[in-house]
Amino acid sequence: MKQGLKITVIGAGSSYTPELIEGLIARRTELPIRELWLVDIEEGREKVNIIADLTRRMLQRHDMAHVDVHVTLDRIPALKNADFICSQFRAGCLEGRIRDERISMKYGMIGQETNGLGGFANACRTIPVTLDICKEIEMYCPDAWLLNFTNPSGMVTEAILKHTQVKAVGLCNVPVIMQKGVARMLNCDERDVVMQVAGLNHLIWARQILHDGQDKLQWVMDEILRGNDLLVPHNIPPFDWPEKLLRQMGMIPCAYLRYYYTSQDMLEQELGEADGEGTRGEVVKAMEKRLFDIYRNPELSEKPQELEKRGGQYYSEAACELMSAIYNDKRTIMHVNTRNNGTIAGLPDDCAVEVSSVITRSGPLPLNVAPFPEDTLRLIQLMKSYESLTVEAAVTGDRNAAHRALILNPIVNTGTILEAALDETIQANLDYMPQFR
Amino acid sequence: MKQGLKITVIGAGSSYTPELIEGLIARRTELPIRELWLVDIEEGREKVNIIADLTRRMLQRHDMAHVDVHVTLDRIPALKNADFICSQFRAGCLEGRIRDERISMKYGMIGQETNGLGGFANACRTIPVTLDICKEIEMYCPDAWLLNFTNPSGMVTEAILKHTQVKAVGLCNVPVIMQKGVARMLNCDERDVVMQVAGLNHLIWARQILHDGQDKLQWVMDEILRGNDLLVPHNIPPFDWPEKLLRQMGMIPCAYLRYYYTSQDMLEQELGEADGEGTRGEVVKAMEKRLFDIYRNPELSEKPQELEKRGGQYYSEAACELMSAIYNDKRTIMHVNTRNNGTIAGLPDDCAVEVSSVITRSGPLPLNVAPFPEDTLRLIQLMKSYESLTVEAAVTGDRNAAHRALILNPIVNTGTILEAALDETIQANLDYMPQFR
Amino acid sequence: MKQGLKITVIGAGSSYTPELIEGLIARRTELPIRELWLVDIEEGREKVNIIADLTRRMLQRHDMAHVDVHVTLDRIPALKNADFICSQFRAGCLEGRIRDERISMKYGMIGQETNGLGGFANACRTIPVTLDICKEIEMYCPDAWLLNFTNPSGMVTEAILKHTQVKAVGLCNVPVIMQKGVARMLNCDERDVVMQVAGLNHLIWARQILHDGQDKLQWVMDEILRGNDLLVPHNIPPFDWPEKLLRQMGMIPCAYLRYYYTSQDMLEQELGEADGEGTRGEVVKAMEKRLFDIYRNPELSEKPQELEKRGGQYYSEAACELMSAIYNDKRTIMHVNTRNNGTIAGLPDDCAVEVSSVITRSGPLPLNVAPFPEDTLRLIQLMKSYESLTVEAAVTGDRNAAHRALILNPIVNTGTILEAALDETIQANLDYMPQFR
Amino acid sequence: MKQGLKITVIGAGSSYTPELIEGLIARRTELPIRELWLVDIEEGREKVNIIADLTRRMLQRHDMAHVDVHVTLDRIPALKNADFICSQFRAGCLEGRIRDERISMKYGMIGQETNGLGGFANACRTIPVTLDICKEIEMYCPDAWLLNFTNPSGMVTEAILKHTQVKAVGLCNVPVIMQKGVARMLNCDERDVVMQVAGLNHLIWARQILHDGQDKLQWVMDEILRGNDLLVPHNIPPFDWPEKLLRQMGMIPCAYLRYYYTSQDMLEQELGEADGEGTRGEVVKAMEKRLFDIYRNPELSEKPQELEKRGGQYYSEAACELMSAIYNDKRTIMHVNTRNNGTIAGLPDDCAVEVSSVITRSGPLPLNVAPFPEDTLRLIQLMKSYESLTVEAAVTGDRNAAHRALILNPIVNTGTILEAALDETIQANLDYMPQFR
């Protein structure tokens, strides 16, 4: 097996990167790294340099000074012969995210980076860049694995799977947080519980929670209804699932399903926040500023605790574990975005789904998913059509596909208001969405 | 073949009944009627008597005085050995409809008698009564055909098909108006065009418009985009389909699809009307009052022109044509609500769909429906799950089923607001929805 | 509507043609023919001339001398601006059929012109010629309707639908005979009964037999079990369906299903006949010789009774009725081979199925088919895979597709014997199957 | 976790049992056994006692004398509080198997214990007994796992899953042999290769063979075509797959698929053997006699090498590995018969399929199976219908279901011959098939 891995991080100027470095350090005996390439664009030059310095200090501290850390704005040398590529960039930066939020709310809709109109805009900015990167991967490192946690992770992964030959896996921290929360509830090692999730990115349900020969799903549901919020990401404010909703479903929805099951409440909460502390994007922007002030400190050689509040916790740990599982053929069960291929009945074979999979050296082998109850399936199918049409619009710039996508989304308002909101979205993003010109 | 038919009308005190009578008169040579039973409930006693008098005058005028016209508040004698039963009652009367509209709007949702929260409420009031009637039919006239145009016609028909042995067909005037409009656009006899529709009640699309060996659908679409509104019921205010929406669909949506494709506009229009001339139910109530004043006139022996404005035009003509098509094995192609049985791929076999069918003496034989484009299918599937769960809730009084139904409906707001709106709906209707007690 | 039709018959030297002429004469008031083009190939020159003379005498006798009868070996002028084309040729003539029978039997298999190895060989000879004809139709008469009753009718129709733009309908006399038999059993006019059939060509079942408001299927089944053989073509020797087989099926299989349900008996019967009076092809060859001796008689100006024994009875009547139903937009329910498009659930959309359809000026609109019981569906699906792979092999000459097709067919023996039988079939037919060179 | 397991073997008088004991000994550190119950019926009394003595000697030799070995003809005490139950009995003994073979061949059909008419007979003898055992398990050890390797393993497992609450897994050595053969071809440890199989028992295909990050399926196929027979069970005589068949399939069929892909050769080979050395059952009977003569030897305290020739090699090893994987939550990927639940698209959810699964303490979690090519799927679907109807017939004694099952099976001859063969089968087995009385 190959020794001396080359790992490339696209969008390395992200404030998450120290977590990724921490994960690589923790796995240094199982993931023998030789080169680490930190890539960003001109706008991120300062940030990626701060990250690189911190990275070197962290590696130094853990006797990993032998790892070559490269910083570059040029992707080609970074990709050449890479073994793993972590994609974690944000097309249009946080400003793009904030703009999405504000435009959506202006038209009375939820504004969010992966859902509704905001998710659509984000996909249309991100997918063209991602496909460019993939063309380079096909040329310079066709055997590399691309670990995508660039949002909207499900649609981006679908675009890669449909339009390139790249070996890609999409990641998200939502199921990771659920898995860790369940293990803590059960007071057991994470590896002793098989929590099977299925659905689409940010639209998953835990279908079974196997521990010690029994399905503990009902018990976990009871815990949640008693107020246990261990399964909810830090960046999501506290809330309660309606008991009857959970009971009748017989599955545990991820926290993002609040956007669909309690959409009016979410909208009102968002509008309130936007008038107060700012939108989520604005809050994150301020947080990022504080984090980089901390990262700059030449005394710092560990991931600072403040990062955990950032919301993406475990993202990078998931990436490190996935790299190790592939490299070491570990057969770990992880929750990833991959080609459906019949896993979820009722969805096209070639779409991306987020499902629990056995990770092998050849990539993920999804576990079979028992048929969903009809009503839940209908929501998943509807959202997948929204996603696939969004991917089509993002690739082709077909405004009709965009319109058909958005009409289907339950948290998008339809009618003349949608025409206006879509126009404004495209106009405001034209530099990042040349396909719509 | 049997001579001397017995026709029974449930909810005969409706202001539509004169149109039905006119239709029977027009078909007097092909539909040999001997008895006509007009049935209503205590609240409708005055109205049904007015209708009965007018009916007798109309029959008299057309040399049909030999037809026995019975008025009764007791369904049993009316059903005994009936050949055809027309169901056209409104559970909870117009007051129920108005209440539905007002509650929906109070919670920021579209209030409408067949869609969204209003459609749900209407189904829950109507289905228990309908199933009672069906039990009587099974006992007193098991061979009779039940023609249902009681709203929500699709869900009521589904309840009958799933829970009784009654031979039932659901009817709606929406496709009838489309068919007549198309024939007028094409300047041809209605019988020379085959317009195939498919979908669910109030959620249909014209899939092909065959005339003179060609599919004229694109031409009709052009007409509509030029402003031709012949396909739109009178009771729906003028509006324009967005050109790109229609073009990308490649099918012609019925006017009710505005509630989904332009839902924000519809909501605003409704809220405006509610503050002005009143809700649709309130407008109809005033109109009904005026109609009955006209019907009372002992000189009147024809259906008055004013009735046409009522919105339900052609409803009764469709019923008469359907009775004649069955009785005479006419093989006419009509648009009816019937058991899916594979007609629309992707929906359960046992649900009700609204599809173009050949009418035989054994009832409707649906024409095969070409597979729908994926995005449209997703909307149909979602709405069918809403409908089937609503039927389940209406039959069992299961509040969870009610909640699951409403969560799926795109024009229903979800979250705490939905809990409140559902509570208020059930409380306000408790007399008509004993199943929820 | 166009007056003065041009009808072209490909393979007009067939002994069936007088029946076709009789049918056209019978419909002379509804099908205004101006030109009749009789086309054949060099090998059929003598026969087509005999037919042409007889045709002229028949037309003369019925005051239709105004119809121009052309005989030609050149398809192009015959196709130019044709309105209807009847395809009824036999690629490789009767000698090809006989060879198929003898090769199949040599390897211990049923030898038959539309089933098993023989059906495969026939398809591979016929489909290339048919596609050539279709290319000419696309060029010289793109609006014409092609009525195919060249065997194997289902596979030939599928090849046309998949590989050309021609408006084609496949015909077979099997359902016609069933329909007529049912009407005689019920002692009613054929038009008063709706017998719905569904399946593939020579693999259909009657699903319902509606008459006078009731489904008479069980009654008809009782008749069949009492020995009534009115539903069986003349060319099929008498046989009895096992009662329990029929009862458990709840549908009425066409006579050709004996090849699957009682295959061993059929094989033994065929082997016996081959040693006695000769194979079916040999019997037909002798019969044809006798028929042409009769046709030659210059006194003959009517279809001779002897033709009825030929087996294909009603074939041509079906063709004439179909032409009239299209031309006059009659909405008759006929049983035709057409694009599946969802009609039979569980089969691909783009394959050909044989189903009862409403015939309009725009062609057939199939009636929806209720889902088949699982075991019957499995047989249909298997046979359709055999058919579609055969069509693929016939078009591409891919020997692997041929092998995969034959392996699936239940009346084909697999193993080294199949390799040998397939080799011999291809070698013996190489002049007619250049695609396999 | 529970210490001191109780393991019960039903049909322990089988000549395979020493292999099972060997497997338990090999896993003594991971499977802490306290009690071993060997159960048989009166006819097997002598054999089970010989086995018990040998078992004790084997345990003694490996310092496992602390394990209590019980022999009994009474299932109840053996089942009480059992942890694992291995079912490996043969209803009707080898005489039944031989009778099945001889009857099938008499009617010109392949005679085999799991396929065709023989498989049907075996299922009808075995399933009633199995369901009786399951009723006892439900009562006396409802938490136990039942490991079924009683043949026909797929149908028996389906009967258990459909008609009982027992936690059951069906096993077969065919995929185990394939897996071991592949590992030897690749010259690697068995655990380093993921060979995914899917299909039905004795009707599986290897879909991918993942090793070192690549799919080696094509390479393995090349090996097989070069004559490598490592994937073929010892009890199957040497044979060659036709190269083109394998290539066109793109999957590796298990050796039992020869019965379908080369059925005529198999029949001829069987008929030859039956006239020579005897049928497979007769050969096994002689072999068993020799084995028991060896087992009797009081000096013997190891599994004798002769057992390997018996055909069922690795059967018992698979059982031991499965027990350990469940007990230790090992997450091993094994090939088992379990509920389909959407794993193989196109088959009912509630049927049994044989698929590669991750084994957890809660039982098997099947890996998703990529959609099969259409033609292969059709064969699987057909065979599943045969299996499910056979299970129905075995449970209900419905002769119609039996007939419908057999008609579908490609290696069963249909017609009067089938009626006779079925009659004879039922008559000859009436003592073991009381359900058909």
Side-chain angles (χ1 to χ4, degrees), chain C residues 244-245 248 260-265 346 374-375 378 381 385 399-400 404 407-408 414-416 419, chain D residues 244-245 248 260-265 346 374-375 378 381 385 399-400 403-404 407 414-416 419:
Chain C
K244 91 181 114 276
L245 177 67
Q248 76 207 18
Y260 305 97
Y261 291 139
T262 62
S263 55
Q264 191 67 19
D265 303 281
E374 192 191 281
D375 52 346
R378 292 323 185 201
Q381 290 176 316
S385 280
R399 213 181 171 290
N400 278 354
R404 288 165 66 199
I407 272 182
L408 292 176
T414 61
T416 48
E419 302 281 337
Chain D
K244 93 182 113 271
L245 177 65
Q248 76 206 19
Y260 305 97
Y261 292 140
T262 62
S263 56
Q264 191 67 20
D265 303 279
E374 192 191 283
D375 52 345
R378 293 322 185 202
Q381 289 176 318
S385 280
R399 213 180 171 293
N400 277 353
H403 195 232
R404 286 165 66 198
I407 272 183
T414 62
T416 48
E419 302 281 335

Side-chain angles (χ1 to χ4, degrees), chain C residues 170-191:
Chain C
L171 275 174
C172 178
N173 66 338
V174 169
V176 180
I177 291 165
M178 290 170 78
Q179 170 97 24
K180 287 182 185 289
V182 160
R184 281 168 64 193
M185 279 187 193
L186 290 165
N187 201 19
C188 74
D189 189 294
E190 204 184 317
R191 284 163 301 188

Side-chain angles (χ1 to χ4, degrees), chain A residues 265 374-375 385 404 414 416, chain B residues 263 265 374-375 385 404 416:
Chain A
D265 303 279
E374 191 190 284
D375 53 345
S385 280
R404 287 164 67 198
T414 62
T416 48
Chain B
S263 57
D265 303 279
E374 192 191 281
D375 53 344
S385 280
R404 288 166 65 198
T416 48

Side-chain angles (χ1 to χ4, degrees), chain C residues 279-338:
Chain C
T279 68
R280 179 71 199 155
E282 289 159 357
V283 169
V284 164
K285 197 175 172 185
M287 206 186 290
E288 278 228 345
K289 202 178 163 315
R290 287 195 301 278
L291 280 170
F292 274 92
D293 286 345
I294 296 169
Y295 293 173
R296 254 182 251 268
N297 177 0
E299 304 302 310
L300 182 76
S301 60
E302 288 290 6
K303 184 188 78 177
Q305 285 231 331
E306 286 82 351
L307 178 52
E308 303 249 331
K309 296 182 197 141
R310 170 75 173 78
Q313 86 254 43
Y314 306 131
Y315 239 134
S316 316
E317 186 186 305
C320 295
E321 181 55 27
L322 181 56
M323 283 188 262
S324 176
I326 291 175
Y327 180 72
N328 296 298
D329 199 22
K330 272 174 133 176
R331 318 277 171 92
T332 322
I333 295 175
M334 295 185 72
H335 318 294
V336 298
N337 288 270
T338 188

Side-chain angles (χ1 to χ4, degrees), chain A residues 118-412:
Chain A
F120 166 84
N122 198 7
C124 288
R125 278 195 305 267
T126 305
I127 287 173
V129 180
T130 301
L131 296 186
D132 283 350
I133 295 171
C134 285
K135 267 182 228 134
E136 297 164 5
I137 294 175
E138 288 171 348
M139 184 164 299
Y140 295 107
C141 53
D143 292 331
W145 279 96
L146 172 59
L147 280 54
N148 180 70
F149 35 127
T150 291
N151 263 333
S153 186
M155 289 191 269
V156 170
T157 303
E158 180 158 321
I160 299 170
L161 295 175
K162 281 184 169 168
H163 296 285
T164 81
Q165 301 298 318
V166 171
K167 301 192 291 185
V169 180
L171 275 173
C172 178
N173 66 338
V174 169
V176 180
I177 291 165
M178 290 170 78
Q179 170 98 22
K180 287 183 185 287
V182 160
R184 281 169 64 193
M185 278 186 194
L186 290 165
N187 200 18
C188 74
D189 189 294
E190 204 183 316
R191 284 162 301 189
D192 286 345
V193 61
V194 177
M195 177 189 77
Q196 186 184 20
V197 303
L200 313 182
N201 182 233
H202 285 195
L203 198 91
I204 53 170
W205 288 258
R207 299 295 306 271
Q208 45 185 353
I209 296 176
L210 305 179
H211 178 242
D212 201 18
Q214 290 187 302
D215 191 340
K216 302 283 175 64
L217 193 137
Q218 288 304 321
W219 182 87
V220 170
M221 192 180 281
D222 290 343
E223 277 298 296
I224 291 171
L225 289 171
R226 271 194 287 274
N228 187 328
D229 65 353
L230 281 172
L231 272 56
V232 178
H234 288 183
N235 60 333
I236 288 193
F239 76 100
D240 293 324
W241 283 114
E243 171 155 0
K244 95 182 112 271
L245 177 66
L246 233 57
R247 296 265 180 233
Q248 76 208 18
M249 219 181 295
M251 303 180 287
I252 296 176
C254 76
Y256 278 83
L257 277 157
R258 293 175 313 148
Y259 289 111
Y260 305 97
Y261 291 139
T262 62
S263 57
Q264 190 67 19
D265 303 279
M266 294 308 293
L267 176 60
E268 283 163 21
Q269 179 183 308
E270 270 202 359
L271 293 172
E273 287 169 359
D275 283 351
E277 53 178 356
T279 68
R280 179 70 199 156
E282 288 158 358
V283 168
V284 164
K285 197 175 172 188
M287 206 186 290
E288 278 227 345
K289 203 180 163 311
R290 287 195 300 278
L291 280 170
F292 274 92
D293 287 345
I294 296 169
Y295 293 173
R296 255 183 251 268
N297 177 0
E299 305 301 311
L300 182 76
S301 60
E302 288 289 8
K303 184 189 79 177
Q305 285 231 331
E306 285 83 349
L307 179 51
E308 303 249 331
K309 296 181 197 143
R310 169 78 172 76
Q313 87 254 42
Y314 306 131
Y315 239 133
S316 317
E317 185 186 305
C320 295
E321 180 56 27
L322 180 56
M323 283 188 261
S324 177
I326 290 175
Y327 180 71
N328 297 299
D329 199 22
K330 272 175 132 175
R331 317 278 171 91
T332 322
I333 295 175
M334 295 185 72
H335 318 293
V336 298
N337 288 271
T338 189
R339 194 172 188 272
N340 182 39
N341 224 9
T343 306
I344 298 183
L347 295 183
D349 287 341
D350 66 350
C351 78
V353 292
E354 188 165 301
V355 287
S356 302
S357 304
V358 176
I359 308 300
T360 73
R361 188 164 299 148
S362 297
L365 299 178
L367 296 177
N368 175 54
V369 172
F372 272 95
E374 191 190 284
D375 53 345
T376 306
L377 178 62
R378 291 324 185 203
L379 176 58
I380 299 174
Q381 290 177 317
L382 190 81
M383 287 300 293
K384 175 44 77 187
S385 280
Y386 153 78
E387 288 195 357
S388 295
L389 283 165
T390 295
V391 169
E392 187 186 325
V395 169
T396 62
D398 177 351
R399 214 181 171 290
N400 277 354
H403 196 230
R404 287 164 67 198
L406 289 163
I407 272 183
L408 291 177
N409 194 304
I411 62 171
V412 166

Side-chain angles (χ1 to χ4, degrees), chain C residues 174-175 178 197-206 252-254 257 354:
Chain C
V174 169
M178 290 170 78
V197 302
L200 312 181
N201 182 234
H202 284 196
L203 197 90
I204 53 169
W205 289 258
I252 296 176
C254 76
L257 278 157
E354 188 164 302

